[in-house]
PDB file of all heavy atoms in Angstrom:
ATOM      1  N   MET H 306     -11.690  -2.532 -17.591  1.00 94.00           N
ATOM      2  CA  MET H 306     -13.003  -3.171 -17.769  1.00 94.00           C
ATOM      3  C   MET H 306     -13.424  -3.894 -16.527  1.00 94.00           C
ATOM      4  O   MET H 306     -14.554  -4.024 -16.162  1.00 94.00           O
ATOM      5  CB  MET H 306     -12.968  -4.131 -18.965  1.00 94.00           C
ATOM      6  CG  MET H 306     -13.033  -3.446 -20.372  1.00 94.00           C
ATOM      7  SD  MET H 306     -14.587  -2.528 -20.592  1.00 94.00           S
ATOM      8  CE  MET H 306     -15.542  -3.871 -21.492  1.00 94.00           C
ATOM      9  N   THR H 307     -12.299  -4.470 -15.777  1.00 93.00           N
ATOM     10  CA  THR H 307     -12.696  -5.243 -14.608  1.00 93.00           C
ATOM     11  C   THR H 307     -13.113  -4.343 -13.435  1.00 93.00           C
ATOM     12  O   THR H 307     -13.507  -4.805 -12.365  1.00 93.00           O
ATOM     13  CB  THR H 307     -11.526  -6.121 -14.123  1.00 93.00           C
ATOM     14  OG1 THR H 307     -10.353  -5.235 -13.813  1.00 93.00           O
ATOM     15  CG2 THR H 307     -11.086  -7.158 -15.134  1.00 93.00           C
ATOM     16  N   LEU H 308     -12.951  -2.995 -13.661  1.00 92.00           N
ATOM     17  CA  LEU H 308     -13.486  -2.125 -12.578  1.00 92.00           C
ATOM     18  C   LEU H 308     -14.997  -2.063 -12.538  1.00 92.00           C
ATOM     19  O   LEU H 308     -15.671  -1.756 -11.567  1.00 92.00           O
ATOM     20  CB  LEU H 308     -13.062  -0.653 -12.862  1.00 92.00           C
ATOM     21  CG  LEU H 308     -11.487  -0.310 -12.663  1.00 92.00           C
ATOM     22  CD1 LEU H 308     -11.259   1.084 -13.109  1.00 92.00           C
ATOM     23  CD2 LEU H 308     -11.153  -0.418 -11.207  1.00 92.00           C
ATOM     24  N   PHE H 309     -15.547  -2.468 -13.655  1.00 92.00           N
ATOM     25  CA  PHE H 309     -17.087  -2.478 -13.750  1.00 92.00           C
ATOM     26  C   PHE H 309     -17.656  -3.844 -13.429  1.00 92.00           C
ATOM     27  O   PHE H 309     -17.018  -4.902 -13.815  1.00 92.00           O
ATOM     28  CB  PHE H 309     -17.491  -2.160 -15.180  1.00 92.00           C
ATOM     29  CG  PHE H 309     -17.096  -0.748 -15.592  1.00 92.00           C
ATOM     30  CD1 PHE H 309     -15.939  -0.546 -16.239  1.00 92.00           C
ATOM     31  CD2 PHE H 309     -17.978   0.338 -15.314  1.00 92.00           C
ATOM     32  CE1 PHE H 309     -15.616   0.741 -16.680  1.00 92.00           C
ATOM     33  CE2 PHE H 309     -17.574   1.608 -15.675  1.00 92.00           C
ATOM     34  CZ  PHE H 309     -16.477   1.800 -16.338  1.00 92.00           C
ATOM     35  N   PRO H 310     -18.731  -3.919 -12.704  1.00 92.00           N
ATOM     36  CA  PRO H 310     -19.300  -5.288 -12.479  1.00 92.00           C
ATOM     37  C   PRO H 310     -19.845  -5.846 -13.795  1.00 92.00           C
ATOM     38  O   PRO H 310     -20.074  -5.157 -14.715  1.00 92.00           O
ATOM     39  CB  PRO H 310     -20.471  -4.947 -11.530  1.00 92.00           C
ATOM     40  CG  PRO H 310     -20.784  -3.460 -11.634  1.00 92.00           C
ATOM     41  CD  PRO H 310     -19.532  -2.906 -12.093  1.00 92.00           C
ATOM     42  N   MET H 311     -19.928  -7.176 -13.778  1.00 91.00           N
ATOM     43  CA  MET H 311     -20.361  -7.898 -14.996  1.00 91.00           C
ATOM     44  C   MET H 311     -21.572  -7.323 -15.644  1.00 91.00           C
ATOM     45  O   MET H 311     -21.702  -7.182 -16.896  1.00 91.00           O
ATOM     46  CB  MET H 311     -20.560  -9.355 -14.823  1.00 91.00           C
ATOM     47  CG  MET H 311     -19.308 -10.123 -14.565  1.00 91.00           C
ATOM     48  SD  MET H 311     -18.259 -10.220 -16.040  1.00 91.00           S
ATOM     49  CE  MET H 311     -19.051 -11.516 -16.973  1.00 91.00           C
ATOM     50  N   ARG H 312     -22.589  -6.965 -14.769  1.00 90.00           N
ATOM     51  CA  ARG H 312     -23.921  -6.544 -15.268  1.00 90.00           C
ATOM     52  C   ARG H 312     -23.733  -5.224 -16.024  1.00 90.00           C
ATOM     53  O   ARG H 312     -24.593  -4.818 -16.904  1.00 90.00           O
ATOM     54  CB  ARG H 312     -24.947  -6.439 -14.173  1.00 90.00           C
ATOM     55  CG  ARG H 312     -24.686  -5.285 -13.176  1.00 90.00           C
ATOM     56  CD  ARG H 312     -25.644  -5.306 -12.049  1.00 90.00           C
ATOM     57  NE  ARG H 312     -24.954  -4.650 -10.971  1.00 90.00           N
ATOM     58  CZ  ARG H 312     -24.770  -3.417 -10.802  1.00 90.00           C
ATOM     59  NH1 ARG H 312     -25.220  -2.635 -11.696  1.00 90.00           N
ATOM     60  NH2 ARG H 312     -24.144  -2.872  -9.759  1.00 90.00           N
ATOM     61  N   ARG H 313     -22.689  -4.438 -15.781  1.00 90.00           N
ATOM     62  CA  ARG H 313     -22.491  -3.101 -16.432  1.00 90.00           C
ATOM     63  C   ARG H 313     -21.631  -3.241 -17.660  1.00 90.00           C
ATOM     64  O   ARG H 313     -21.414  -2.241 -18.427  1.00 90.00           O
ATOM     65  CB  ARG H 313     -21.880  -2.098 -15.430  1.00 90.00           C
ATOM     66  CG  ARG H 313     -22.904  -1.639 -14.454  1.00 90.00           C
ATOM     67  CD  ARG H 313     -22.523  -0.296 -13.901  1.00 90.00           C
ATOM     68  NE  ARG H 313     -22.446   0.742 -14.924  1.00 90.00           N
ATOM     69  CZ  ARG H 313     -21.661   1.834 -14.815  1.00 90.00           C
ATOM     70  NH1 ARG H 313     -20.974   2.006 -13.736  1.00 90.00           N
ATOM     71  NH2 ARG H 313     -21.570   2.770 -15.694  1.00 90.00           N
ATOM     72  N   LEU H 314     -21.082  -4.456 -17.861  1.00 90.00           N
ATOM     73  CA  LEU H 314     -20.049  -4.524 -19.043  1.00 90.00           C
ATOM     74  C   LEU H 314     -20.631  -4.100 -20.356  1.00 90.00           C
ATOM     75  O   LEU H 314     -19.959  -3.376 -21.143  1.00 90.00           O
ATOM     76  CB  LEU H 314     -19.539  -6.004 -19.106  1.00 90.00           C
ATOM     77  CG  LEU H 314     -18.410  -6.271 -18.213  1.00 90.00           C
ATOM     78  CD1 LEU H 314     -17.819  -7.687 -18.503  1.00 90.00           C
ATOM     79  CD2 LEU H 314     -17.287  -5.259 -18.279  1.00 90.00           C
ATOM     80  N   PRO H 315     -21.916  -4.497 -20.654  1.00 91.00           N
ATOM     81  CA  PRO H 315     -22.362  -4.078 -21.998  1.00 91.00           C
ATOM     82  C   PRO H 315     -22.540  -2.593 -22.144  1.00 91.00           C
ATOM     83  O   PRO H 315     -22.656  -2.029 -23.254  1.00 91.00           O
ATOM     84  CB  PRO H 315     -23.834  -4.743 -21.968  1.00 91.00           C
ATOM     85  CG  PRO H 315     -23.770  -5.789 -21.043  1.00 91.00           C
ATOM     86  CD  PRO H 315     -22.856  -5.391 -20.029  1.00 91.00           C
ATOM     87  N   HIS H 316     -22.471  -1.831 -21.007  1.00 92.00           N
ATOM     88  CA  HIS H 316     -22.641  -0.388 -21.038  1.00 92.00           C
ATOM     89  C   HIS H 316     -21.198   0.254 -20.759  1.00 92.00           C
ATOM     90  O   HIS H 316     -21.179   1.486 -20.560  1.00 92.00           O
ATOM     91  CB  HIS H 316     -23.560   0.128 -20.021  1.00 92.00           C
ATOM     92  CG  HIS H 316     -24.962  -0.457 -20.155  1.00 92.00           C
ATOM     93  ND1 HIS H 316     -25.742  -0.112 -21.241  1.00 92.00           N
ATOM     94  CD2 HIS H 316     -25.530  -1.511 -19.520  1.00 92.00           C
ATOM     95  CE1 HIS H 316     -26.858  -0.795 -21.114  1.00 92.00           C
ATOM     96  NE2 HIS H 316     -26.757  -1.670 -20.142  1.00 92.00           N
TER      97      HIS H 316
END
Side-chain angles (χ1 to χ4, degrees):
Chain H
M306 285 292 269
T307 61
L308 289 174
F309 295 92
M311 284 295 280
R312 69 187 154 76
R313 284 202 62 205
L314 277 188
H316 302 287

